[in-house]
Amino acid sequence: MNNFVNLILYRLAHLGQIPLCNGEVSRAPMIFGFCFPLCYRCTFIVLLFFITLFICYKHKKDFNIWMMLLCLLPMITDGCLQTFYGIESTNIRRAVTGGLFGFALGVMVSKLYSYVDKRL
């Protein structure tokens, strides 16, 4: 527990120098010499998540649940390749798989909200 707190304090103290999510500068976008607080994968997960929520709620779009499940697979596959086979992912692959995952997460949350809203 103490190591976890120290890690969080270290990353907060170095905000703008290392990303908060994984701490590897090579995996984070650099904007005018400032290290973005999230890596490429996390940035695109958050970005596409909010864009998908906006599309689903504002424009009443409904996406297929199977499409959502298919969008989860690339990030899961990429993570397994990195973990079990030692194949290093590129920043482009991280951005694409993170974007697809963020889209799927947004669809899942919007479907859950629709389901709960109909039940109430």
Side-chain angles (χ1 to χ4, degrees):
M1 182 68 177
N2 192 20
N3 288 337
F4 179 72
V5 172
N6 288 338
L7 178 67
I8 296 298
L9 292 174
Y10 174 79
R11 289 190 178 167
L12 287 175
H14 290 90
L15 190 64
Q17 298 170 353
I18 61 171
L20 294 173
C21 52
N22 59 16
E24 293 191 33
V25 177
S26 64
R27 295 183 180 179
M30 296 294 280
I31 303 169
F32 302 115
F34 176 78
C35 182
F36 198 69
L38 298 174
C39 69
Y40 278 99
R41 182 172 285 140
C42 294
T43 300
F44 279 87
I45 288 173
V46 170
L47 184 67
L48 266 292
F49 173 75
F50 285 115
I51 289 172
T52 304
L53 285 180
F54 176 76
I55 290 170
C56 288
Y57 294 137
K58 187 76 172 171
H59 300 292
K60 305 296 185 213
K61 293 285 184 187
D62 189 25
F63 294 100
N64 189 346
I65 193 80
W66 295 108
M67 184 171 52
M68 178 203 65
L69 293 175
L70 282 175
C71 287
L72 294 174
L73 287 177
M75 190 166 120
I76 294 168
T77 305
D78 189 38
C80 289
L81 287 174
Q82 288 182 62
T83 303
F84 299 120
Y85 297 104
I87 298 172
E88 190 66 28
S89 184
T90 64
N91 286 336
I92 300 294
R93 189 184 315 161
R94 287 183 191 105
V96 170
T97 59
L100 288 172
F101 191 86
F103 170 77
L105 194 63
V107 170
M108 187 168 47
V109 168
S110 69
K111 285 198 174 287
L112 180 64
Y113 176 78
S114 297
Y115 176 76
V116 170
D117 192 38
K118 289 178 186 174
R119 301 280 290 174
L120 296 177

